[in-house]
Coordinates of all heavy atoms in Angstrom, one line a residue:
M1 N 98.1 103.8 50.5 CA 99.4 104.1 51.0 C 99.8 105.5 50.3 O 99.3 105.8 49.3 CB 100.4 103.1 50.7 CG 100.3 101.8 51.5 SD 101.9 101.0 51.4 CE 102.3 101.1 53.1
D2 N 100.8 106.1 51.0 CA 101.3 107.3 50.4 C 102.2 107.1 49.2 O 103.2 106.3 49.4 CB 102.1 108.0 51.6 CG 102.4 109.5 51.2 OD1 101.9 110.0 50.2 OD2 103.2 110.1 51.9
P3 N 102.0 107.7 48.1 CA 102.8 107.4 46.9 C 104.3 107.8 47.1 O 105.2 107.1 46.6 CB 102.2 108.2 45.8 CG 101.0 108.9 46.3 CD 100.9 108.6 47.8
D4 N 104.6 108.8 47.9 CA 106.0 109.2 48.2 C 106.7 108.1 48.9 O 107.9 107.8 48.6 CB 106.0 110.5 49.0 CG 105.5 111.7 48.2 OD1 105.7 111.7 46.9 OD2 105.0 112.7 48.8
L5 N 106.0 107.5 49.8 CA 106.7 106.4 50.6 C 107.0 105.2 49.7 O 108.0 104.5 49.8 CB 105.8 105.9 51.8 CG 105.8 106.9 53.0 CD1 104.8 106.4 54.0 CD2 107.2 107.1 53.6
L6 N 106.0 104.9 48.8 CA 106.2 103.8 47.8 C 107.4 104.1 46.9 O 108.2 103.2 46.5 CB 105.0 103.6 47.0 CG 103.8 103.0 47.8 CD1 102.6 103.0 46.9 CD2 104.2 101.6 48.2
K7 N 107.6 105.4 46.5 CA 108.8 105.7 45.6 C 110.1 105.5 46.4 O 111.1 105.2 45.8 CB 108.6 107.2 45.2 CG 107.5 107.4 44.2 CD 107.5 108.9 43.8 CE 106.2 109.1 43.0 NZ 106.0 110.6 42.7
Q8 N 110.1 105.8 47.7 CA 111.4 105.7 48.5 C 111.8 104.2 48.6 O 113.0 104.0 48.7 CB 111.2 106.2 49.9 CG 111.0 107.7 49.9 CD 110.7 108.2 51.3 OE1 110.8 107.5 52.3 NE2 110.4 109.5 51.4
G9 N 111.0 103.3 48.5 CA 111.4 101.9 48.6 C 111.6 101.4 50.0 O 111.3 102.1 51.0
P10 N 112.1 100.2 50.2 CA 112.3 99.6 51.5 C 113.4 100.3 52.3 O 114.3 100.8 51.7 CB 112.6 98.2 51.3 CG 113.1 98.1 49.9 CD 112.4 99.2 49.1
R11 N 113.2 100.4 53.6 CA 114.3 101.0 54.4 C 114.6 100.1 55.6 O 113.8 99.2 55.9 CB 113.7 102.3 55.0 CG 113.6 103.4 54.0 CD 113.2 104.7 54.6 NE 111.7 104.6 54.9 CZ 111.1 105.6 55.4 NH1 111.7 106.7 55.8 NH2 109.8 105.5 55.6
E12 N 115.7 100.3 56.2 CA 116.2 99.5 57.4 C 115.4 100.0 58.6 O 115.2 101.2 58.8 CB 117.7 99.7 57.6 CG 118.6 99.0 56.7 CD 118.6 97.5 57.0 OE1 118.6 97.1 58.2 OE2 118.6 96.7 56.1
A13 N 115.0 99.1 59.4 CA 114.3 99.5 60.7 C 115.4 100.0 61.7 O 116.5 99.5 61.7 CB 113.6 98.3 61.3
P14 N 115.0 101.0 62.5 CA 116.0 101.4 63.5 C 116.3 100.4 64.5 O 115.4 99.5 64.8 CB 115.4 102.7 64.1 CG 113.9 102.5 63.8 CD 113.8 101.7 62.6
E15 N 117.5 100.5 65.1 CA 117.8 99.5 66.2 C 116.9 99.8 67.4 O 116.7 100.9 67.8 CB 119.3 99.8 66.6 CG 120.0 98.7 67.3 CD 120.1 97.4 66.5 OE1 120.3 97.5 65.3 OE2 120.1 96.4 67.1
P16 N 116.4 98.7 68.1 CA 115.6 98.9 69.2 C 116.3 99.6 70.4 O 117.5 99.4 70.5 CB 115.1 97.5 69.6 CG 115.9 96.6 68.9 CD 116.6 97.3 67.7
L17 N 115.6 100.3 71.2 CA 116.2 101.0 72.3 C 116.5 100.1 73.5 O 115.7 99.1 73.7 CB 115.3 102.2 72.8 CG 115.1 103.3 71.8 CD1 114.1 104.3 72.4 CD2 116.3 104.0 71.4
T18 N 117.6 100.3 74.2 CA 117.8 99.6 75.4 C 116.9 100.1 76.6 O 116.3 101.2 76.4 CB 119.3 99.7 75.9 OG1 119.5 101.1 76.2 CG2 120.2 99.2 74.8
A19 N 116.9 99.4 77.7 CA 116.0 99.9 78.8 C 116.5 101.2 79.3 O 115.6 102.1 79.7 CB 116.1 98.8 79.9
E20 N 117.8 101.5 79.4 CA 118.3 102.8 79.9 C 117.9 103.9 78.9 O 117.5 105.0 79.3 CB 119.8 102.7 80.0 CG 120.3 101.9 81.2 CD 121.8 101.8 81.2 OE1 122.5 102.4 80.3 OE2 122.3 101.2 82.2
E21 N 117.9 103.6 77.6 CA 117.6 104.6 76.7 C 116.1 105.0 76.7 O 115.6 106.1 76.6 CB 117.9 104.2 75.2 CG 119.4 104.2 75.0 CD 119.7 103.5 73.6 OE1 118.9 102.7 73.1 OE2 120.8 103.8 73.1
R22 N 115.3 103.9 77.0 CA 113.8 104.2 77.1 C 113.5 105.0 78.3 O 112.7 105.9 78.3 CB 113.1 102.8 77.1 CG 112.9 102.2 75.8 CD 111.9 101.1 75.9 NE 112.1 100.1 76.9 CZ 112.8 98.9 76.8 NH1 113.2 98.6 75.6 NH2 113.0 98.1 77.8
T23 N 114.2 104.6 79.4 CA 113.9 105.4 80.7 C 114.3 106.8 80.6 O 113.6 107.7 81.0 CB 114.7 104.7 81.8 OG1 114.3 103.4 81.9 CG2 114.5 105.4 83.1
S24 N 115.5 107.1 80.0 CA 115.9 108.5 79.9 C 115.1 109.2 78.9 O 114.9 110.4 79.0 CB 117.4 108.5 79.5 OG 117.6 108.0 78.2
R25 N 114.6 108.5 77.9 CA 113.8 109.2 76.9 C 112.4 109.6 77.5 O 111.9 110.7 77.1 CB 113.5 108.2 75.7 CG 112.8 108.9 74.5 CD 112.5 107.9 73.5 NE 111.5 106.9 74.0 CZ 111.0 105.9 73.3 NH1 111.4 105.8 72.1 NH2 110.2 105.1 73.9
K26 N 111.9 108.8 78.3 CA 110.6 109.1 78.9 C 110.6 110.1 80.0 O 109.6 110.6 80.5 CB 109.9 107.9 79.4 CG 109.4 107.0 78.2 CD 108.7 105.8 78.7 CE 108.4 104.9 77.5 NZ 107.7 103.7 78.0
G27 N 111.8 110.4 80.5 CA 112.0 111.4 81.6 C 111.5 110.9 82.9 O 110.9 111.6 83.7
M28 N 111.7 109.6 83.2 CA 111.2 109.0 84.5 C 111.9 109.7 85.7 O 111.4 109.8 86.7 CB 111.4 107.5 84.5 CG 110.5 106.8 83.5 SD 108.8 107.1 83.8 CE 108.5 105.8 85.0
K29 N 113.2 110.0 85.5 CA 114.0 110.6 86.6 C 113.4 112.0 86.9 O 113.2 112.3 88.0 CB 115.4 110.7 86.2 CG 116.1 109.4 86.0 CD 117.5 109.6 85.5 CE 118.1 108.2 85.2 NZ 119.4 108.3 84.6
T30 N 113.0 112.7 85.9 CA 112.4 114.0 86.1 C 111.1 113.9 86.8 O 110.8 114.6 87.7 CB 112.3 114.7 84.7 OG1 113.5 114.8 84.1 CG2 111.8 116.1 84.9
A31 N 110.3 112.9 86.3 CA 109.0 112.7 86.9 C 109.1 112.3 88.4 O 108.4 112.8 89.2 CB 108.2 111.7 86.1
G32 N 110.0 111.4 88.7 CA 110.2 111.0 90.0 C 110.7 112.2 90.9 O 110.2 112.3 92.1
G33 N 111.6 113.0 90.4 CA 112.0 114.2 91.1 C 110.9 115.1 91.4 O 110.8 115.7 92.5
G34 N 110.0 115.3 90.4 CA 108.9 116.2 90.6 C 107.9 115.7 91.6 O 107.4 116.5 92.4
I35 N 107.7 114.4 91.6 CA 106.8 113.8 92.6 C 107.4 113.9 94.0 O 106.7 114.3 95.0 CB 106.5 112.3 92.3 CG1 105.6 112.3 91.0 CG2 105.8 111.6 93.4 CD1 105.5 110.9 90.4
A36 N 108.7 113.7 94.1 CA 109.3 113.8 95.4 C 109.3 115.3 95.9 O 109.0 115.5 97.1 CB 110.8 113.3 95.3
A37 N 109.6 116.2 95.0 CA 109.5 117.6 95.4 C 108.1 118.0 95.8 O 107.9 118.8 96.8 CB 110.0 118.5 94.2
G38 N 107.1 117.5 95.1 CA 105.7 117.8 95.5 C 105.4 117.3 96.8 O 104.7 117.9 97.6
G39 N 105.8 116.1 97.1 CA 105.6 115.4 98.4 C 106.3 116.2 99.5 O 105.7 116.4 100.6
I40 N 107.5 116.6 99.3 CA 108.2 117.4 100.3 C 107.5 118.7 100.5 O 107.4 119.1 101.7 CB 109.7 117.6 99.8 CG1 110.4 116.2 99.9 CG2 110.4 118.6 100.7 CD1 111.8 116.2 99.3
G41 N 107.1 119.4 99.4 CA 106.4 120.6 99.6 C 105.1 120.5 100.4 O 104.8 121.3 101.3
L42 N 104.3 119.4 100.1 CA 103.1 119.2 100.9 C 103.4 118.8 102.3 O 102.7 119.3 103.2 CB 102.3 118.0 100.2 CG 101.6 118.3 98.9 CD1 101.0 117.1 98.3 CD2 100.6 119.4 99.1
A43 N 104.5 118.1 102.6 CA 104.8 117.8 103.9 C 105.3 119.0 104.7 O 104.9 119.2 105.9 CB 106.0 116.7 104.0
K44 N 106.0 119.9 104.0 CA 106.4 121.2 104.7 C 105.2 122.0 105.0 O 105.2 122.7 106.0 CB 107.4 121.9 103.8 CG 108.7 121.3 103.6 CD 109.6 121.4 104.8 CE 110.4 122.7 104.7 NZ 111.3 122.9 105.9
A45 N 104.2 122.0 104.1 CA 103.0 122.9 104.3 C 102.1 122.2 105.4 O 101.2 122.9 105.9 CB 102.3 123.1 103.0
G46 N 102.3 120.9 105.6 CA 101.4 120.3 106.6 C 100.2 119.5 106.0 O 99.5 118.9 106.7
F47 N 100.0 119.7 104.7 CA 98.9 119.1 104.1 C 99.0 117.6 104.0 O 98.0 116.9 104.2 CB 98.6 119.6 102.7 CG 98.3 121.1 102.6 CD1 99.1 122.0 101.9 CD2 97.3 121.6 103.3 CE1 98.8 123.3 101.9 CE2 97.0 122.9 103.3 CZ 97.7 123.8 102.6
L48 N 100.2 117.1 103.7 CA 100.4 115.6 103.6 C 100.1 114.9 104.9 O 99.4 113.9 105.0 CB 101.8 115.4 103.1 CG 102.1 113.9 102.7 CD1 101.2 113.5 101.6 CD2 103.6 113.8 102.3
G49 N 100.7 115.5 106.0 CA 100.4 114.9 107.3 C 99.0 114.9 107.7 O 98.4 113.9 108.3
K50 N 98.3 116.0 107.4 CA 96.8 116.1 107.8 C 96.1 115.1 106.9 O 95.1 114.5 107.5 CB 96.3 117.5 107.5 CG 96.9 118.5 108.5 CD 96.4 119.9 108.2 CE 97.1 120.8 109.2 NZ 97.4 122.1 108.8
F51 N 96.4 114.9 105.7 CA 95.7 114.0 104.8 C 95.9 112.5 105.4 O 95.0 111.8 105.4 CB 96.2 114.1 103.4 CG 95.6 113.0 102.5 CD1 94.3 113.0 102.1 CD2 96.4 111.9 102.1 CE1 93.8 112.0 101.3 CE2 95.9 110.9 101.3 CZ 94.6 111.0 100.9
L52 N 97.2 112.2 105.8 CA 97.5 110.9 106.2 C 96.8 110.6 107.6 O 96.2 109.5 107.8 CB 99.0 110.7 106.4 CG 99.7 110.6 105.1 CD1 101.2 110.5 105.3 CD2 99.3 109.4 104.2
I53 N 96.7 111.6 108.5 CA 96.0 111.5 109.7 C 94.5 111.2 109.4 O 93.9 110.4 110.0 CB 96.2 112.7 110.6 CG1 97.7 112.7 111.2 CG2 95.2 112.7 111.8 CD1 98.1 113.9 111.9
Y54 N 94.0 112.0 108.5 CA 92.6 111.9 108.2 C 92.3 110.5 107.6 O 91.3 109.8 108.0 CB 92.1 112.9 107.2 CG 90.8 112.7 106.6 CD1 89.6 113.0 107.3 CD2 90.7 112.1 105.3 CE1 88.4 112.7 106.7 CE2 89.4 111.9 104.8 CZ 88.3 112.1 105.5 OH 87.1 111.9 104.9
L55 N 93.2 110.0 106.8 CA 93.1 108.7 106.1 C 93.1 107.6 107.2 O 92.3 106.7 107.2 CB 94.2 108.5 105.1 CG 94.1 107.2 104.3 CD1 92.9 107.3 103.4 CD2 95.3 107.1 103.4
F56 N 94.1 107.7 108.1 CA 94.2 106.6 109.2 C 93.0 106.7 110.1 O 92.5 105.7 110.5 CB 95.5 106.8 110.0 CG 96.7 106.5 109.2 CD1 97.8 107.2 109.3 CD2 96.7 105.4 108.3 CE1 99.0 107.0 108.5 CE2 97.9 105.1 107.6 CZ 99.0 105.9 107.7
L57 N 92.5 107.9 110.4 CA 91.3 108.0 111.3 C 90.1 107.4 110.6 O 89.3 106.7 111.2 CB 91.1 109.5 111.6 CG 91.8 110.0 112.8 CD1 91.6 111.5 112.9 CD2 91.5 109.3 114.1
W58 N 89.9 107.7 109.3 CA 88.8 107.2 108.6 C 88.8 105.7 108.6 O 87.8 105.0 108.8 CB 88.7 107.8 107.2 CG 87.7 107.2 106.4 CD1 87.9 106.3 105.3 CD2 86.2 107.2 106.6 NE1 86.7 105.9 104.8 CE2 85.6 106.5 105.6 CE3 85.4 107.9 107.5 CZ2 84.3 106.3 105.4 CZ3 84.0 107.8 107.3 CH2 83.5 107.0 106.3
N59 N 90.0 105.2 108.2 CA 90.1 103.7 108.2 C 89.9 103.1 109.5 O 89.3 102.0 109.6 CB 91.4 103.3 107.6 CG 91.5 103.5 106.1 OD1 90.5 103.4 105.4 ND2 92.7 103.7 105.6
G60 N 90.3 103.7 110.6 CA 90.1 103.2 111.9 C 88.7 103.2 112.3 O 88.2 102.2 112.9
V61 N 88.0 104.3 112.1 CA 86.6 104.4 112.4 C 85.8 103.4 111.6 O 84.9 102.7 112.1 CB 86.1 105.8 112.2 CG1 84.6 105.9 112.3 CG2 86.7 106.7 113.2
R62 N 86.1 103.3 110.3 CA 85.4 102.3 109.4 C 85.6 100.9 109.9 O 84.6 100.1 109.9 CB 85.8 102.5 108.0 CG 85.1 101.7 107.0 CD 85.5 102.0 105.6 NE 84.9 101.1 104.7 CZ 85.4 99.9 104.3 NH1 86.6 99.6 104.8 NH2 84.8 99.1 103.5
T63 N 86.8 100.5 110.2 CA 87.1 99.2 110.7 C 86.4 98.9 112.0 O 85.8 97.8 112.2 CB 88.6 99.0 110.9 OG1 89.2 99.3 109.6 CG2 89.0 97.6 111.3
A64 N 86.4 99.9 112.9 CA 85.7 99.7 114.2 C 84.2 99.5 114.0 O 83.6 98.6 114.6 CB 85.9 100.9 115.1
F65 N 83.6 100.2 113.0 CA 82.2 100.1 112.8 C 81.9 98.7 112.2 O 81.0 98.0 112.5 CB 81.7 101.2 111.8 CG 80.3 101.1 111.6 CD1 79.3 101.4 112.5 CD2 79.8 100.7 110.3 CE1 78.0 101.4 112.3 CE2 78.4 100.6 110.1 CZ 77.5 100.9 111.1
L66 N 82.8 98.3 111.3 CA 82.6 97.0 110.6 C 82.8 95.8 111.6 O 82.0 94.8 111.6 CB 83.6 96.7 109.5 CG 83.3 97.6 108.2 CD1 84.4 97.4 107.2 CD2 82.0 97.3 107.6
L67 N 83.7 96.0 112.6 CA 83.9 94.9 113.6 C 82.9 94.9 114.7 O 82.4 93.9 115.1 CB 85.3 95.0 114.1 CG 86.5 94.8 113.2 CD1 87.8 95.0 113.9 CD2 86.4 93.3 112.7
G68 N 82.6 96.1 115.2 CA 81.7 96.1 116.4 C 80.5 97.0 116.2 O 79.8 97.2 117.2
G69 N 80.2 97.5 115.1 CA 79.0 98.3 114.9 C 79.1 99.6 115.8 O 80.1 100.2 115.9
W70 N 78.0 99.9 116.4 CA 78.0 101.1 117.2 C 78.8 101.0 118.5 O 79.4 102.0 119.0 CB 76.5 101.5 117.6 CG 75.7 101.9 116.5 CD1 74.8 101.2 115.8 CD2 75.9 103.2 115.8 NE1 74.3 102.0 114.7 CE2 74.9 103.2 114.7 CE3 76.7 104.3 116.0 CZ2 74.8 104.3 113.9 CZ3 76.5 105.4 115.1 CH2 75.6 105.4 114.1
I71 N 79.0 99.8 119.0 CA 79.9 99.6 120.1 C 81.3 99.9 119.8 O 82.0 100.6 120.6 CB 79.7 98.1 120.6 CG1 78.3 97.9 121.1 CG2 80.8 97.8 121.7 CD1 78.0 96.4 121.4
G72 N 81.8 99.5 118.6 CA 83.1 99.9 118.2 C 83.3 101.4 118.1 O 84.4 101.9 118.5
L73 N 82.3 102.1 117.5 CA 82.4 103.5 117.4 C 82.5 104.2 118.8 O 83.2 105.1 119.0 CB 81.3 104.1 116.6 CG 81.3 103.8 115.1 CD1 80.1 104.4 114.4 CD2 82.6 104.4 114.5
L74 N 81.7 103.7 119.8 CA 81.7 104.2 121.1 C 83.0 104.0 121.8 O 83.5 104.8 122.5 CB 80.6 103.6 121.9 CG 79.1 104.0 121.6 CD1 78.1 103.2 122.4 CD2 79.0 105.5 121.8
V75 N 83.6 102.8 121.5 CA 85.0 102.5 122.1 C 86.0 103.5 121.5 O 86.8 104.1 122.3 CB 85.4 101.1 121.8 CG1 86.9 100.8 122.1 CG2 84.5 100.1 122.6
I76 N 85.9 103.8 120.2 CA 86.8 104.8 119.6 C 86.6 106.1 120.2 O 87.6 106.9 120.5 CB 86.6 104.8 118.1 CG1 87.1 103.5 117.4 CG2 87.4 106.0 117.4 CD1 88.6 103.3 117.4
A77 N 85.4 106.5 120.4 CA 85.1 107.8 121.0 C 85.6 107.9 122.4 O 86.1 109.0 122.8 CB 83.6 108.1 120.9
A78 N 85.4 106.8 123.2 CA 85.9 106.8 124.5 C 87.4 106.9 124.6 O 88.0 107.6 125.4 CB 85.4 105.5 125.2
V79 N 88.1 106.3 123.7 CA 89.6 106.4 123.6 C 90.0 107.8 123.3 O 90.9 108.4 123.9 CB 90.2 105.4 122.6 CG1 91.6 105.7 122.3 CG2 90.0 104.0 123.1
I80 N 89.3 108.5 122.4 CA 89.7 109.9 122.0 C 89.4 110.8 123.2 O 90.2 111.7 123.5 CB 88.9 110.3 120.8 CG1 89.4 109.5 119.6 CG2 89.0 111.8 120.5 CD1 88.6 109.7 118.3
V81 N 88.3 110.6 123.9 CA 87.9 111.5 125.0 C 88.9 111.2 126.2 O 89.4 112.2 126.8 CB 86.5 111.2 125.5 CG1 86.2 111.8 126.9 CG2 85.5 111.7 124.5
A82 N 89.3 110.0 126.4 CA 90.3 109.7 127.4 C 91.7 110.3 127.1 O 92.3 110.9 128.0 CB 90.5 108.2 127.6
F83 N 92.0 110.3 125.8 CA 93.3 110.9 125.4 C 93.3 112.4 125.6 O 94.2 113.0 126.2 CB 93.6 110.6 123.9 CG 94.8 111.3 123.4 CD1 96.1 110.9 123.8 CD2 94.7 112.4 122.6 CE1 97.2 111.6 123.3 CE2 95.8 113.1 122.1 CZ 97.0 112.7 122.5
V84 N 92.2 113.1 125.3 CA 92.1 114.5 125.5 C 92.1 114.9 126.9 O 92.8 115.8 127.4 CB 90.8 115.0 124.8 CG1 90.5 116.5 125.1 CG2 90.9 114.9 123.2
Y85 N 91.4 114.1 127.8 CA 91.4 114.3 129.2 C 92.8 114.1 129.8 O 93.2 115.0 130.6 CB 90.4 113.4 129.9 CG 90.3 113.5 131.4 CD1 89.7 114.6 132.0 CD2 90.9 112.5 132.2 CE1 89.7 114.7 133.3 CE2 90.9 112.7 133.5 CZ 90.3 113.7 134.1 OH 90.3 113.9 135.5
Y86 N 93.4 113.1 129.4 CA 94.8 112.8 129.9 C 95.7 113.9 129.5 O 96.5 114.4 130.4 CB 95.3 111.5 129.4 CG 96.7 111.2 129.7 CD1 97.2 110.8 131.0 CD2 97.7 111.3 128.7 CE1 98.5 110.6 131.2 CE2 99.0 111.0 128.9 CZ 99.4 110.7 130.2 OH 100.7 110.5 130.5
R87 N 95.6 114.4 128.3 CA 96.5 115.5 127.9 C 96.2 116.8 128.6 O 97.2 117.5 129.0 CB 96.3 115.7 126.3 CG 97.3 116.5 125.7 CD 97.2 116.5 124.2 NE 98.2 117.4 123.7 CZ 98.2 117.7 122.4 NH1 97.4 117.2 121.6 NH2 99.1 118.6 122.0
K88 N 95.0 117.1 128.9 CA 94.6 118.3 129.6 C 95.2 118.2 131.0 O 95.7 119.2 131.6 CB 93.1 118.5 129.7 CG 92.6 119.5 128.8 CD 91.1 119.8 129.0 CE 90.6 120.6 127.9 NZ 89.2 120.9 128.0
Q89 N 95.0 117.0 131.7 CA 95.5 116.9 133.0 C 97.1 117.0 133.1 O 97.6 117.6 134.0 CB 95.1 115.5 133.6 CG 93.7 115.3 133.8 CD 93.2 116.3 134.9 OE1 93.9 116.6 135.9 NE2 92.0 116.8 134.7
R90 N 97.7 116.5 132.1 CA 99.2 116.6 132.0 C 99.6 118.0 131.8 O 100.6 118.5 132.4 CB 99.7 115.7 130.9 CG 101.1 115.4 130.9 CD 101.4 114.3 129.9 NE 102.8 114.5 129.5 CZ 103.4 113.9 128.5 NH1 102.6 113.0 127.8 NH2 104.6 114.1 128.1
Q91 N 98.9 118.8 130.9 CA 99.3 120.2 130.7 C 99.0 121.0 132.0 O 99.8 121.9 132.3 CB 98.5 120.7 129.5 CG 99.0 120.2 128.2 CD 98.2 120.7 127.0 OE1 97.1 121.3 127.2 NE2 98.7 120.5 125.8
A92 N 98.0 120.7 132.7 CA 97.6 121.4 133.9 C 98.7 121.1 135.0 O 99.1 122.1 135.7 CB 96.2 121.0 134.4
A93 N 99.2 119.9 135.0 CA 100.2 119.6 136.0 C 101.5 120.2 135.7 O 102.3 120.6 136.6 CB 100.4 118.1 136.1
A94 N 101.8 120.4 134.4 CA 103.1 121.1 134.0 C 103.1 122.6 134.2 O 104.1 123.2 134.4 CB 103.3 120.8 132.5
S95 N 101.9 123.2 134.3 CA 101.8 124.6 134.5 C 102.1 125.1 135.9 O 101.9 124.6 136.9 CB 100.5 125.2 134.1 OG 100.2 124.8 132.7

């Protein structure tokens, strides 16, 4: 032990912090605001939406493969091709 601490003798323990004091001490509000601001910035730049679309597509393709193997992937591909064809036809009719 440190001899200086032994010379000081016993001391009173500090009062424990309340939940509010712990939260404010750790800066959780600041961290939450930073995360929200980062998410808003990513959404404005379009990165967040692209990531979520990629994530949903990947999970959909993976689930289709697990459920139906190659047949499930062919069904997904057919749905995508049908959507693109329908959209082209709709744009051509609007012009």
